[in-house]
Amino acid sequence: MFEILEAILLEACSECGNDFEQGELTEFDGERLCTDCLDNNTFVCACCNERHWNDNQYGDCDTPLCEACYEEYYTRCEGCNSVIRRDEANYEEDDEDSECPYCDSCYNYNGEGRYLHDYGYKPSPIFYGEGKRYFGVELEIDKGGKENGNAKTITKLANQSGDNIYIKTDGSLDDGLEIVTHPMTIQYHMSKMPWQDILHTAVRLRYQSHKATTCGLHIHVNRDSLGENVKEQDECVGRILFIVERFWSELLRFSRRTENQIRQWANRYGYKENPSEILDHAKKGERGRYAAVNITNWNTIEFRLFRGTLKYNTLIATLQLVNEICDVAFFMSDEEVGALSWCDFAERLDPERHSELITYLKERRLYINEAVNSEEDE
């Protein structure tokens, strides 16, 4: 008699299977759950106040949300990934059509503004230095965090004498930043731009570039420095592409990239007999911007071959190499470029003006069979 009564009064939880007295279980979605299972496996949406299974949780621990409420009313901060209401989000330059919302904390970092911009951020260029040829550097650094505070530290260091750089996010990086300079002459990069301090600070903040394997060093050159009109500029660009193809094995070694990295991020167009054929092939190709030399931009061409670095000599050597390639393409004819050997190219370098480049070429065994010891790239 007592056993029958006990069986009637006890009921098993649908989730854990334990027995509970009648009245202790809560019915939810056709299941009978004990208090612990209800708390551990379901949540109450902070917006609609309805209970849902945890599998349908689209918010966070502070703001639990069902899928419908999240999609309708909420989004996530681009900076810290916290859940925020769409009508309370901040956007770049008050642009509510932007796809990069920010919470108040990230948008107004310590009341001093944001220093880490979304990938699409592109301010009007400011040109530094006097000359016709300008170089815009995009240096990717990774593994040290995608944090506004780190971006602030680097930006304030670089911009003590002007708005030299800005910093963006980049989806190709695991946990890092992209440092972008405004257009600068090579003399400005070498004498006025505080590259050594920037690179040392990035290392101190535990960033990597060469070692990260995810990072590139991209260099933009203004097209109007390559000729007086579009025809002359195209002819010069054709010779640049020809030089890159002609010296591909040397430039691959210079770049510090692997074959797989090159194919993914900066593939070659393929060798042709003369510059005009390569340019025509490049314009008709499907490489897009992921080419060794990206020619899809209207105002610049972009050298994308090079692996990222936090070593000062490597960065300056890369700028000097790009400048020298542009000089050769600008001052030489198609026939002269076609007859140029790598040794001829290296012998053109001036020991005073190209000291960093010559040192780097020796380190990579690319300077007339000379080699020197070097520190490892970061």
Side-chain angles (χ1 to χ4, degrees):
M1 179 69 179
F2 290 106
E3 291 179 357
I4 296 174
L5 181 60
E6 183 179 6
I8 294 174
L9 295 177
L10 295 181
E11 185 179 7
C13 172
S14 302
E15 190 70 23
C16 67
N18 293 330
D19 290 331
F20 294 87
E21 293 182 7
Q22 289 183 350
E24 290 186 343
L25 301 184
T26 300
E27 184 172 350
F28 171 69
D29 196 25
E31 305 285 346
R32 301 281 292 173
L33 304 176
C34 67
T35 301
D36 287 343
C37 288
L38 188 70
D39 291 341
N40 294 333
N41 295 286
T42 70
F43 70 96
V44 175
C45 175
C47 184
C48 66
N49 292 318
E50 294 184 5
R51 187 173 293 276
H52 302 267
W53 293 105
N54 284 347
D55 291 342
N56 194 36
Q57 156 70 292
Y58 281 75
D60 55 26
C61 59
D62 295 324
T63 312
L65 297 166
C66 67
E67 180 179 11
C69 289
Y70 175 80
E71 294 295 339
E72 181 71 19
Y73 302 110
Y74 288 81
T75 186
R76 286 187 178 272
C77 173
E78 181 74 11
C80 65
N81 203 41
S82 62
V83 172
I84 52 176
R85 288 189 61 89
R86 292 182 184 275
D87 56 5
E88 295 177 354
N90 303 284
Y91 294 88
E92 195 75 65
E93 298 179 355
D94 296 326
D95 181 5
E96 294 191 3
D97 293 327
S98 170
E99 296 181 356
C100 298
Y102 293 90
C103 67
D104 290 340
S105 178
C106 290
Y107 189 76
N108 300 301
Y109 184 82
N110 286 339
E112 298 182 23
R114 282 192 306 108
Y115 292 84
L116 179 58
H117 303 278
D118 63 78
Y119 181 74
Y121 178 74
K122 191 174 182 180
S124 298
I126 305 171
F127 292 83
Y128 290 97
E130 296 183 4
K132 292 185 176 180
R133 187 176 301 155
Y134 291 84
F135 301 85
V137 171
E138 298 170 355
L139 174 61
E140 296 168 345
I141 59 177
D142 209 347
K143 311 299 184 185
K146 190 177 74 171
E147 299 176 0
N148 189 72
N150 288 349
K152 174 184 176 181
T153 297
I154 296 172
T155 301
K156 281 188 167 292
L157 176 66
N159 290 353
Q160 295 182 49
S161 59
D163 292 331
N164 291 320
I165 72 164
Y166 52 95
I167 295 181
K168 307 193 300 182
T169 59
D170 191 314
S172 67
L173 304 176
D174 294 330
D175 193 23
L177 316 169
E178 182 179 35
I179 302 170
V180 184
T181 76
H182 283 277
M184 303 171 178
T185 63
I186 193 166
Q187 290 78 16
Y188 191 96
H189 274 289
M190 295 174 61
S191 62
K192 299 290 183 64
M193 181 67 179
W195 274 120
Q196 294 197 60
D197 293 337
I198 292 170
L199 301 180
H200 289 158
T201 298
V203 172
R204 179 175 60 80
L205 293 172
R206 301 187 181 279
Y207 285 99
Q208 298 177 1
S209 193
H210 173 92
K211 291 181 179 179
T213 73
T214 53
C215 300
L217 169 60
H218 305 158
I219 299 176
H220 287 261
V221 180
N222 55 313
R223 282 181 178 265
D224 58 11
S225 71
L226 305 176
E228 295 296 326
N229 51 56
V230 173
K231 180 177 181 297
E232 289 183 3
Q233 292 167 19
D234 273 357
E235 290 173 350
C236 188
V237 170
R239 288 190 287 272
I240 289 172
L241 300 183
F242 184 86
I243 292 168
V244 171
E245 292 294 336
R246 184 174 182 83
F247 299 140
W248 183 258
S249 60
E250 289 86 0
L251 293 177
L252 180 60
R253 190 188 305 179
F254 186 104
S255 75
R256 293 166 290 110
R257 287 192 186 270
T258 65
E259 289 279 5
N260 287 337
Q261 291 169 340
I262 283 285
R263 280 194 292 268
Q264 183 178 5
W265 302 111
N267 213 344
R268 62 191 301 183
Y269 291 110
Y271 185 78
K272 302 294 180 182
E273 291 299 320
N274 58 65
S276 61
E277 286 186 31
I278 291 183
L279 180 62
D280 185 61
H281 175 68
K283 287 183 175 181
K284 295 177 180 178
E286 299 179 354
R287 293 275 181 262
R289 68 188 186 93
Y290 295 108
V293 182
N294 168 24
I295 61 172
T296 64
N297 299 314
W298 181 253
N299 294 317
T300 68
I301 62 171
E302 178 191 17
F303 289 76
R304 294 178 54 90
L305 294 81
F306 312 108
R307 191 166 175 167
T309 184
L310 293 176
K311 183 179 175 184
Y312 174 76
N313 189 83
T314 300
L315 188 148
I316 297 301
T318 304
L319 282 166
Q320 291 176 352
L321 174 75
V322 169
N323 188 50
E324 188 63 18
I325 290 174
C326 292
D327 270 352
V328 169
F330 183 83
F331 290 110
M332 286 189 175
S333 66
D334 288 5
E335 293 74 21
E336 290 172 324
V337 169
L340 194 69
S341 70
W342 179 257
C343 285
D344 294 333
F345 180 85
E347 287 178 349
R348 287 173 47 87
L349 302 178
D350 180 86
E352 292 186 5
R353 290 194 304 114
H354 303 107
S355 60
E356 289 84 1
L357 177 55
I358 291 173
T359 297
Y360 182 82
L361 292 177
K362 290 179 179 180
E363 292 172 357
R364 306 300 295 177
R365 300 182 183 276
L366 288 167
Y367 189 74
I368 319 176
N369 296 322
E370 289 189 39
V372 298
N373 295 324
S374 66
E375 295 180 2
E376 186 179 3
D377 268 279
E378 295 287 346

